[in-house]
């Protein structure tokens, strides 16, 4: 063993899972403070959804046109690449993490599947783990939502950023939440005729939360710029409206939207049909918490609980970004920076000095308050389930309809999503309820609860057979979740 190898072995090792804003910020912060970092991510390039770049083969001349925080990305990318070249950071791409095993000695083994087929196993041993696993979109069903041409809002954005492509020449962007604004403006700037932006909430309600707004003038200015772009592209804004149905035979041809009354119900006689080839729809986001749950981390509702250092209640595990609560890239960067500094200090046996991260801590406080205000405004219509007909497919993997779920509740006495799942198979498919879970809970009349999945993605039986210690831990997680 060379002196360099001995030095590397003696240096504390942190595994960061997720190469979005939070994971990159944490990696740079920890590496700058004397910790070896292995960054694992499912994508082929760092950046996550927010900093997604066009495929290199496309040779995009102005990729910055797809981003409004390009200078921040350049600084982050340059710092990250510097540490990679120095050998302090190892970046493992196409690594799909399915389980994190806490070992008896207090260290960890990260289990992943390699490449597009996700069949070959890989393991990374580390002294500590930082979860920056991000979030995923919530999409509520409606008649016609399975038609080709209907995509998630984030999916439309990812297609545009990653492949410089769109799924049609005319589009409607609909649902609720701040994400709809950049999606609509991005499509319009790419030459798509965006016929309407359909928002079920009333953005004017934000005016009743002046303190949170006053603390984030930059966010207000950003929203104003988006609105100016929509006006310039003559995008029709339909606030307090909702999707009623998507129409088409072999693919999407049009959508029907309608106005909402004060109670969140469709107002009779207000329906209008809008021709379009693409419908980009989203109803907010949910944190990815699968890995945190299997490690036994405490959740606050649907997000991972962390302290002021971004530590979970499991020793040696930190979390940052959307997994601790949806709040956008700037909040993820602040949390990642704090988590990386804290992890580096703790791993090197010193006490972190919060005085050295006062700026990101203040940013974190203000942005959490700001997004709490947004969450209180941008919510799906209170009576959205009334638009789900009995023959609307709710669980696409298992082809379970709204009628079957209602029958499980009214005729078979199901009172929660888990019982509905057992009676109808809703949520038993490939996505394991990530897509249909909120809809099933809504139709069952119960709140969304953590799913307690034994691992974060489907795993071949052969891989499980090669990982007996992980399989043993998985069985304990399953028992804990069912108790």
């Amino acid at each position: 063993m060379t002196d360099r190898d001995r030095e590397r072995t003696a240096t504390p090792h942190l595994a960061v899972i997720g190469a979005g804003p939070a994971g990159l910020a944490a990696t740079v912060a920890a590496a700058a403070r004397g910790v070896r970092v292995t960054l694992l991510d499912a994508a082929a390039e760092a950046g996550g959804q927010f900093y997604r770049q066009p495929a290199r083969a496309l040779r995009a001349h102005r990729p910055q046109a797809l981003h409004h925080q390009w200078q921040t990305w350049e600084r982050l990318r340059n710092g990250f690449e510097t540490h990679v070249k120095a050998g302090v950071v190892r970046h493992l791409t196409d690594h799909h993490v399915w389980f994190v095993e806490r070992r008896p000695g207090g260290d960890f083994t990260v289990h992943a599947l390699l490449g597009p087929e996700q069949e070959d196993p890989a393991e990374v041993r580390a002294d500590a783990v930082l979860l920056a696993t991000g979030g995923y979109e919530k999409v509520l069903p409606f008649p016609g939502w399975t038609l080709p041409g209907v995509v998630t809002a984030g999916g439309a954005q990812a297609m545009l950023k990653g492949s410089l492509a769109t799924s049609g020449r005319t589009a409607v962007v609909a649902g609720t939440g701040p994400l709809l604004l950049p999606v609509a403006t991005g499509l319009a700037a790419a030459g798509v005729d965006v016929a309407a932006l359909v928002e079920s909430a009333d953005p004017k309600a934000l005016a009743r939360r002046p303190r949170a707004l006053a603390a984030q003038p930059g966010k207000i200015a950003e929203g104003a710029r988006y609105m100016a772009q929509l006006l310039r592209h003559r995008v029709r804004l339909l606030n307090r409206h909702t999707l009623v149905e998507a129409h088409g035979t072999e693919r999407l041809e049009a959508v029907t939207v309608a106005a909402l009354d004060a109670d969140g119900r469709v107002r009779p006689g207000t329906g209008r049909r809008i021709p379009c080839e693409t419908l980009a729809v989203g109803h907010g986001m949910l944190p990815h918490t699968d890995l945190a749950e299997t490690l036994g981390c405490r959740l606050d509702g649907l997000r991972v609980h962390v302290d002021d250092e971004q530590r979970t209640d499991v020793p040696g595990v930190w979390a940052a970004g959307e997994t601790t609560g949806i709040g956008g890239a700037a909040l993820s960067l602040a949390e990642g920076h704090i988590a990386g500094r804290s992890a580096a200090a703790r791993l090197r046996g010193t006490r972190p000095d919060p005085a050295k991260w006062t700026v990101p801590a203040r940013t974190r406080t203000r942005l959490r308050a700001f997004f709490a205000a947004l969450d209180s405004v941008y919510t799906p219509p209170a009576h959205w389930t009334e638009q789900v007909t009995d023959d609307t497919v709710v669980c696409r993997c298992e082809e379970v309809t709204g009628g079957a779920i209602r029958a499980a509740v009214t005729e078979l006495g199901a009172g929660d999503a888990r019982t509905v799942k057992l009676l109808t198979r809703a949520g038993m498919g490939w996505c394991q309820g990530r897509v249909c879970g909120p809809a099933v809970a809504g139709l069952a009349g119960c709140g969304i609860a953590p799913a307690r999945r034994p691992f974060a993605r489907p795993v071949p039986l052969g891989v499980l057979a090669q990982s007996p210690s992980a399989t043993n831990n998985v069985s304990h997680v399953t028992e804990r979740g069912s108790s």
Side-chain angles (χ1 to χ4, degrees):
M1 181 182 289
T2 66
D3 291 341
R4 182 178 177 84
D5 290 335
R6 291 190 183 92
E7 181 181 349
R8 286 177 58 83
T9 303
T11 304
H13 184 200
L14 173 68
V16 177
I17 302 172
L24 286 171
T27 296
V28 171
R33 287 157 184 83
V35 172
R36 284 189 300 128
V37 182
T38 296
L39 176 63
L40 302 94
D41 192 63
E45 301 283 347
Q49 169 70 350
F50 189 80
Y51 292 123
R52 183 185 293 269
Q53 305 296 307
R56 294 184 180 181
L58 295 175
R59 298 180 180 179
H61 295 295
R62 295 183 64 251
Q64 62 269 30
L66 300 171
H67 298 269
H68 67 279
Q69 293 184 6
W70 186 256
Q71 291 183 340
T72 300
W73 160 246
E74 286 186 317
R75 289 194 298 270
L76 186 64
R77 180 195 59 197
N78 293 342
F80 172 68
E81 291 178 348
T82 297
H83 291 301
V84 171
K85 291 176 182 177
V88 181
V89 171
R90 181 172 55 148
H91 182 203
L92 301 181
T93 61
D94 292 317
H95 276 60
H96 306 259
V97 177
W98 61 272
F99 191 73
V100 178
E101 176 188 2
R102 190 181 182 203
R103 298 171 58 85
D107 60 346
F108 299 85
T109 300
V110 179
H111 297 268
L113 300 171
L114 300 180
E117 289 78 20
Q118 301 181 37
E119 293 180 351
D120 298 323
E123 295 182 358
V124 173
R125 292 280 295 272
D127 300 304
V129 171
L130 196 154
L131 304 175
T133 48
Y136 61 100
E137 283 188 274
K138 178 171 66 174
V139 180
L140 301 175
F142 50 89
W145 77 305
T146 58
L147 281 169
V150 179
V151 297
T152 66
Q157 188 180 57
M159 187 185 306
L160 182 60
K161 287 183 176 181
S163 63
L164 306 180
T166 63
S167 62
R169 293 169 296 177
T170 59
V172 169
V173 179
T176 189
L179 178 61
L180 302 187
L181 286 172
V183 171
T185 55
L187 290 174
V192 175
D193 178 11
V194 180
L197 192 161
V198 183
E199 170 60 68
S200 63
D202 182 4
K204 294 178 182 177
L206 282 172
R208 294 194 290 270
R209 294 155 179 83
R211 182 174 298 180
L213 297 184
Q216 288 297 316
K219 286 291 182 182
I220 302 304
E222 180 183 319
R225 287 193 296 271
Y226 282 134
M227 294 301 294
Q229 292 177 53
L230 293 176
L231 291 173
R232 185 166 63 250
H233 290 287
R234 298 183 180 180
V235 176
R236 181 168 35 176
L237 304 177
L238 298 175
N239 293 327
R240 294 296 296 162
H241 280 67
T242 191
L243 284 167
V244 175
E245 186 174 358
H247 308 281
T249 50
E250 296 186 0
R251 65 164 289 118
L252 180 70
E253 299 171 4
V255 297
T256 293
V257 302
L260 294 167
D261 64 18
D263 295 324
R265 285 190 167 91
V266 169
R267 288 168 50 192
T270 63
R272 66 176 78 181
R273 187 181 177 107
I274 305 175
C276 59
E277 297 176 342
T278 297
L279 170 61
V281 59
H283 298 92
M285 295 186 66
L286 296 170
H288 263 305
T289 60
D290 292 345
L291 295 176
E293 289 179 60
T294 57
L295 280 165
C297 299
R298 171 185 160 191
L299 299 186
D300 287 339
L302 298 175
R303 62 192 180 194
V304 180
H305 171 82
V306 291
D307 64 9
D308 289 343
E309 294 182 32
Q310 299 293 140
R311 293 182 299 173
T312 72
D313 60 344
V314 174
V317 180
W318 281 255
E322 310 281 39
T323 191
T324 67
I326 304 302
L331 177 56
S332 294
L333 289 170
E335 291 188 355
H337 182 82
I338 294 170
R341 293 187 69 136
S342 170
R346 298 281 179 182
L347 285 172
R348 294 184 65 83
T350 62
R351 290 185 60 85
D353 183 3
K356 294 182 178 180
W357 63 64
T358 54
V359 173
R362 289 171 183 165
T363 298
R364 178 180 60 184
T365 298
R366 290 195 296 266
L367 284 172
R368 283 180 177 175
F370 178 76
F371 279 94
L374 290 186
D375 288 344
S376 67
V377 171
Y378 290 103
T379 59
H383 299 280
W384 65 265
T385 57
E386 295 177 3
Q387 307 310 311
V388 181
T389 60
D390 283 348
D391 59 354
T392 300
V393 173
V394 174
C395 174
R396 302 173 71 159
C397 297
E398 297 293 328
E399 298 184 346
V400 181
T401 64
I405 294 170
R406 289 187 175 107
V409 174
T410 60
E411 299 175 16
L412 302 178
D416 57 75
R418 183 174 183 274
T419 304
V420 171
K421 176 179 179 179
L422 295 174
L423 292 172
T424 67
R425 295 189 59 82
M428 289 190 181
W430 184 259
C431 82
Q432 287 292 287
R434 290 173 180 83
V435 175
C436 68
V440 171
L443 289 168
C446 60
I448 306 173
R452 299 189 182 278
R453 302 177 184 94
F455 31 76
R457 62 181 63 247
V459 184
L461 290 176
V463 172
L464 290 176
Q466 296 175 45
S467 308
S469 60
T471 306
N472 184 52
N473 276 281
V474 166
S475 66
H476 290 319
V477 171
T478 305
E479 292 171 4
R480 186 175 68 241
S482 60
S483 62

